[in-house]
Amino acid sequence: AQKVTQAQTEISVVEKEDVTLDCVYETRDTTYYLFWYKQPPSGELVFLIRRNSFDEQNEISGRYSWNFQKSTSSFNFTITASQVVDSAVYFCALKGTTSGTYKYIFGTGTRLKVLA
Amino acid sequence: KAGVTQTPRYLIKTRGQQVTLSCSPISGHRSVSWYQQTPGQGLQFLFEYFSETQRNKGNFPGRFSGRQFSNSRSEMNVSTLELGDSALYLCASSGGLAGPTDTQYFGPGTRLTVL
């Protein structure tokens, strides 16, 4: 079975603080893909990053960075120097490749509130 | 490249009615997935269509149905609406293949309110 767990339901930080959103996944697939999406109050999920299982290289994009560790089945997301515009719900997702289902499994999301 | 579009954006219906939501995927994308999002249940997968065929299905009653047209546009229908169907319905499109570049992109959603 495939599963994505985002244990943090809600996080509040003060602007300029760093914050890490946790994502733990379960899959038996040897090849799989992990994603992060941002959902601002407008409702649309915005794609942030995709990481392939065979590429454990961490990635940095501006204030965003992602730490992928297969050994702990985690794909954590860090925002450095948070800003009020970062306030949103963030979803982690997993797509497996076996059995040809190509189904995306989403976590329950973490609501991030950045206070001015 | 235009993004995923959904119509209508807002909808108010009464119990017992039926509703049809529409989704136009990104040009070239062959897969369209539908999700229901409610405060209590989070993001729940409804179904996925790929090349006009339903490829995946979530755990929703038969009142929820969908279809996909030859141009990849998709519609979702909910019959005999219940109060609990009030939700944000999100559509996502992707190439639909297993390759490492395949990614779902979401539309703005249709917010359905059932009175």
Side-chain angles (χ1 to χ4, degrees):
Chain A
Q2 299 186 102
K3 187 179 178 182
V4 174
T5 301
Q6 294 181 257
Q8 304 152 308
T9 305
E10 186 168 312
I11 301 175
S12 291
V13 298
V14 176
E15 206 170 19
K16 297 184 183 176
E17 283 186 3
D18 298 347
V19 58
T20 295
L21 310 182
D22 298 333
C23 173
V24 175
Y25 63 92
E26 295 176 29
T27 181
R28 293 180 181 174
D29 291 340
T30 53
T31 300
Y32 52 90
Y33 308 100
L34 297 164
F35 304 81
W36 275 97
Y37 288 86
K38 173 183 179 180
Q39 186 178 38
S42 61
E44 180 174 349
L45 268 75
V46 178
F47 165 71
L48 295 177
I49 190 172
R50 176 190 60 250
R51 177 58 70 213
N52 308 327
S53 57
F54 45 83
D55 180 7
E56 279 195 80
Q57 195 171 19
N58 292 327
E59 181 152 337
I60 298 175
S61 176
R63 297 184 297 106
Y64 294 172
S65 63
W66 290 268
N67 181 262
F68 175 31
Q69 290 195 331
K70 288 180 75 170
S71 61
T72 56
S73 297
S74 64
F75 185 41
N76 296 336
F77 173 28
T78 297
I79 301 175
T80 303
S82 59
Q83 299 176 1
V84 172
V85 293
D86 296 326
S87 296
V89 180
Y90 291 85
F91 290 92
C92 180
L94 163 72
K95 184 179 80 166
T97 56
T98 57
S99 72
T101 59
Y102 312 121
K103 190 185 292 188
Y104 286 72
I105 308 298
F106 282 82
T108 51
T110 296
R111 182 177 299 278
L112 173 65
K113 292 184 178 179
V114 181
L115 308 172
Chain B
K1 210 174 195 182
V4 180
T5 58
Q6 291 186 247
T7 57
R9 294 292 312 278
Y10 301 90
L11 208 49
I12 299 176
K13 292 285 187 179
T14 56
R15 277 183 301 174
Q17 287 187 310
Q18 78 165 26
V19 66
T20 300
L21 312 182
S22 180
C23 173
S24 292
I26 292 171
S27 178
H29 282 186
R30 295 164 64 189
S31 167
V32 173
S33 295
W34 289 90
Y35 295 85
Q36 181 195 65
Q37 187 177 31
T38 59
Q41 297 296 321
L43 199 64
Q44 292 191 289
F45 172 73
L46 279 154
F47 31 63
E48 181 213 5
Y49 285 86
F50 177 76
S51 293
E52 302 180 65
T53 301
Q54 189 180 85
R55 185 164 68 174
N56 283 305
K57 191 177 186 306
N59 297 320
F60 277 81
R63 300 186 297 109
F64 292 82
S65 63
R67 60 177 175 168
Q68 186 179 36
F69 302 96
S70 57
N71 61 358
S72 292
R73 190 178 69 85
S74 177
E75 287 182 347
M76 189 193 95
N77 185 77
V78 188
S79 63
T80 319
L81 284 167
E82 301 177 358
L83 294 179
D85 297 333
S86 294
L88 178 66
Y89 290 88
L90 292 161
C91 164
S93 81
S94 71
L97 304 177
T101 60
D102 196 60
T103 298
Q104 279 193 342
Y105 294 92
F106 283 80
T110 294
R111 188 165 295 281
L112 171 65
T113 301
V114 182
L115 303 176

